[in-house]
Amino acid sequence: MKLIQAFLTENPCYRANLDRADERYRVFQDRGPVGLMLHSVGCAQPSAEVFVRRWNRPDYDRACVHAFIDANTGDVWQTLPWSFRGWHGGGSCNNTHIGVELCEPDCLSYTGGASFTVWDRDRAVACAARTREAAAELFSMLCKQYGLEPETAILSHREGGRRGIATAHADPEHLWTGLGLDWTMDGFRAMVRAKMDAKSPDPSPEHAPLYRVQIGAFHNRAYAEAMLAEARKTFPNAFLKKE
């Protein structure tokens, strides 16, 4: 996972956090997030950088999320510090959850609401898989950082709406369903858990560190050879190396 910091410093949400504008911002910053919410942008734009440019303006007072995940590369563009209160869910989840947007492939066209047509399904599925994998990596990192359990702390925007803590949106499940995929949020949470539980592999022998013991260093070769002769009485494999 490649993490790129591109904070939306001109967005009014960023400024409100800097000013700790009211109790909601102060509480979020002092306590930290208690949940993570997964969104999808709802338009055919795979580039996270495009959203960063559009949203990083003083007059863009409609939304502000913590990160976008690029559909072409899987790169995570962090747009708010994780400890800042965002404007992403349109409800009380803004006071509790980090919000992350999945960018969407450019080979689809929305026909109304959450419905769309797609003309290159293979490419669209590859983009969706790329963002889902990167999101699982990111959420695994954040769950570890803030001591969160993915089974209870992670929601989609759709699930947040059904709980009454976010607006009634369908993302990101609408994208997966519209592409004919059987992916679910339960499956996503299981991915995050698996990544959290995975152990780092032991380094292979060819990449393992090698520790050397040096007992002398001389500019005069005769002195070096004398030391070598002494060392070989105890360590027959000792050798002389010129640098």
Coordinates of all heavy atoms in Angstrom, one line a residue, residues 3 5 10 14-15 21-22 27 41 44 62 64 82 91 102 129 133 150-151 173 176 199 205-206 218 231-232 237:
L3 N 1.0 5.2 0.5 CA 0.2 6.2 1.1 C 0.8 7.6 0.8 O 2.0 7.8 1.0 CB 0.3 6.1 2.7 CG -0.5 7.0 3.5 CD1 -2.0 6.9 3.2 CD2 -0.3 6.8 5.0
Q5 N 0.4 11.7 1.2 CA -0.3 12.7 2.0 C -0.6 13.9 1.1 O 0.3 14.5 0.4 CB 0.6 13.2 3.1 CG 0.5 12.3 4.4 CD 1.0 13.0 5.6 OE1 1.7 14.0 5.6 NE2 0.8 12.3 6.8
E10 N -7.0 23.8 2.0 CA -7.9 24.9 1.7 C -9.4 24.6 1.9 O -10.2 25.5 1.8 CB -7.7 25.3 0.2 CG -6.2 25.8 -0.1 CD -5.8 27.0 0.7 OE1 -6.7 27.9 0.8 OE2 -4.7 27.0 1.2
Y14 N -11.0 21.4 6.8 CA -9.6 21.4 7.4 C -9.4 22.6 8.3 O -8.9 22.5 9.4 CB -8.6 21.4 6.3 CG -7.2 21.2 6.7 CD1 -6.6 19.9 6.7 CD2 -6.4 22.2 7.1 CE1 -5.3 19.7 7.1 CE2 -5.1 22.0 7.5 CZ -4.5 20.8 7.5 OH -3.2 20.6 7.9
R15 N -9.9 23.7 7.8 CA -9.8 24.9 8.6 C -10.5 24.8 9.9 O -10.1 25.3 11.0 CB -10.3 26.1 7.8 CG -9.6 26.4 6.5 CD -8.1 26.5 6.6 NE -7.7 27.5 7.6 CZ -6.4 27.7 7.9 NH1 -5.5 27.0 7.3 NH2 -6.1 28.6 8.8
A21 N -13.3 24.2 15.9 CA -14.4 25.1 15.8 C -15.5 24.9 16.8 O -16.1 25.9 17.3 CB -15.0 25.0 14.4
D22 N -15.8 23.7 17.2 CA -16.8 23.5 18.2 C -16.5 22.1 18.9 O -15.5 21.5 18.6 CB -18.2 23.5 17.7 CG -18.5 22.5 16.6 OD1 -18.0 21.3 16.7 OD2 -19.2 22.8 15.6
V27 N -13.8 16.9 20.5 CA -13.9 15.6 20.9 C -13.2 14.6 20.0 O -12.5 13.7 20.4 CB -15.4 15.2 21.1 CG1 -15.6 13.7 21.4 CG2 -16.0 16.0 22.3
V41 N -17.2 6.8 -4.7 CA -17.4 8.2 -5.1 C -18.7 8.4 -5.9 O -19.2 9.5 -6.0 CB -16.2 8.7 -5.9 CG1 -15.0 8.8 -5.0 CG2 -15.9 7.9 -7.2
A44 N -17.8 8.1 -12.5 CA -16.8 7.4 -13.3 C -15.5 8.2 -13.3 O -15.1 8.7 -14.3 CB -17.3 7.1 -14.7
R62 N -18.9 21.3 0.8 CA -19.9 20.3 0.7 C -19.5 19.0 1.4 O -20.3 18.2 1.8 CB -20.3 20.0 -0.7 CG -20.9 21.2 -1.4 CD -21.4 21.0 -2.8 NE -20.3 20.8 -3.7 CZ -19.5 21.7 -4.2 NH1 -19.7 23.0 -3.8 NH2 -18.5 21.5 -5.1
C64 N -15.7 16.6 2.9 CA -14.3 16.4 3.1 C -14.1 15.0 3.7 O -14.6 14.8 4.8 CB -13.7 17.5 4.0 SG -11.9 17.6 4.0
W82 N -5.8 11.6 10.3 CA -6.7 10.6 10.8 C -7.5 11.1 12.1 O -8.6 10.7 12.3 CB -6.1 9.3 11.1 CG -5.2 8.7 10.0 CD1 -3.9 8.4 10.0 CD2 -5.7 8.4 8.7 NE1 -3.5 7.9 8.8 CE2 -4.6 7.9 8.0 CE3 -6.9 8.6 8.0 CZ2 -4.6 7.5 6.6 CZ3 -6.9 8.2 6.6 CH2 -5.8 7.6 6.0
G91 N -24.2 12.7 8.7 CA -24.9 12.4 9.9 C -23.9 12.3 11.1 O -22.8 12.8 11.0
L102 N -13.6 5.1 -2.2 CA -13.1 4.3 -3.3 C -13.4 5.0 -4.6 O -14.5 5.3 -4.9 CB -13.7 3.0 -3.3 CG -13.7 2.1 -2.0 CD1 -14.4 0.8 -2.2 CD2 -12.2 1.9 -1.5
A129 N -11.4 -4.3 -7.6 CA -10.6 -5.2 -6.8 C -9.4 -4.5 -6.2 O -9.0 -4.7 -5.1 CB -10.1 -6.4 -7.6
E133 N -8.8 -4.0 -2.2 CA -7.6 -4.6 -1.6 C -6.8 -3.5 -0.8 O -6.4 -3.7 0.3 CB -6.7 -5.2 -2.6 CG -5.3 -5.7 -2.1 CD -5.5 -6.9 -1.2 OE1 -6.5 -7.6 -1.3 OE2 -4.5 -7.2 -0.4
P150 N -12.4 -4.9 13.5 CA -13.1 -4.6 12.2 C -14.5 -5.1 12.2 O -15.4 -4.5 11.5 CB -12.2 -5.4 11.2 CG -11.4 -6.3 12.1 CD -11.2 -5.7 13.4
E151 N -14.9 -6.2 12.9 CA -16.2 -6.7 12.9 C -17.3 -5.7 13.4 O -18.4 -5.8 12.9 CB -16.3 -8.0 13.7 CG -15.5 -9.2 13.1 CD -14.0 -9.1 13.5 OE1 -13.6 -8.2 14.3 OE2 -13.2 -9.9 13.0
E173 N -21.5 -0.8 -1.8 CA -22.0 -2.1 -2.3 C -22.7 -2.0 -3.6 O -22.7 -3.0 -4.4 CB -23.1 -2.7 -1.3 CG -22.5 -3.1 0.1 CD -22.6 -2.0 1.1 OE1 -22.4 -0.8 0.8 OE2 -22.8 -2.3 2.3
W176 N -20.2 -3.0 -6.4 CA -19.9 -4.4 -6.4 C -21.1 -5.2 -7.0 O -20.9 -6.0 -7.9 CB -19.6 -4.9 -5.0 CG -18.5 -4.2 -4.4 CD1 -17.5 -3.4 -5.0 CD2 -18.2 -4.1 -3.0 NE1 -16.6 -2.9 -4.0 CE2 -17.0 -3.3 -2.8 CE3 -18.8 -4.6 -1.8 CZ2 -16.5 -3.0 -1.6 CZ3 -18.2 -4.4 -0.6 CH2 -17.1 -3.6 -0.5
K199 N 1.0 -12.9 10.1 CA 2.3 -12.7 10.6 C 3.2 -12.3 9.5 O 3.1 -12.8 8.4 CB 2.8 -13.9 11.4 CG 2.0 -14.3 12.6 CD 2.5 -15.5 13.3 CE 1.8 -15.8 14.6 NZ 2.3 -17.0 15.2
P205 N 16.8 -16.9 3.7 CA 18.2 -16.9 4.0 C 19.0 -15.9 3.2 O 19.9 -15.3 3.7 CB 18.6 -18.4 3.7 CG 17.3 -19.2 3.9 CD 16.2 -18.2 3.5
E206 N 18.6 -15.8 1.9 CA 19.4 -14.9 1.1 C 19.2 -13.4 1.5 O 20.0 -12.5 1.1 CB 19.1 -15.1 -0.4 CG 17.7 -14.8 -0.8 CD 16.8 -16.0 -0.7 OE1 17.1 -17.0 0.0 OE2 15.8 -16.1 -1.5
F218 N 44.3 -2.9 10.2 CA 45.6 -2.3 10.2 C 45.9 -1.8 8.8 O 45.5 -2.3 7.8 CB 46.7 -3.4 10.5 CG 46.4 -4.2 11.8 CD1 45.7 -5.3 11.8 CD2 47.0 -3.7 12.9 CE1 45.5 -6.0 13.0 CE2 46.8 -4.4 14.1 CZ 46.0 -5.5 14.2
A231 N 44.8 -15.4 15.5 CA 43.4 -15.8 15.5 C 43.2 -17.2 15.0 O 42.3 -17.9 15.5 CB 42.6 -14.8 14.6
R232 N 44.0 -17.7 14.1 CA 43.8 -19.0 13.5 C 44.1 -20.1 14.5 O 43.7 -21.2 14.3 CB 44.6 -19.1 12.3 CG 43.9 -18.5 11.0 CD 44.8 -18.6 9.8 NE 44.0 -18.2 8.6 CZ 44.6 -18.0 7.4 NH1 45.9 -18.1 7.3 NH2 43.8 -17.6 6.4
N237 N 39.2 -20.9 10.6 CA 38.6 -20.3 9.4 C 38.8 -18.8 9.3 O 38.2 -18.2 8.3 CB 37.1 -20.7 9.3 CG 36.9 -22.2 9.1 OD1 37.7 -22.8 8.5 ND2 35.8 -22.7 9.7

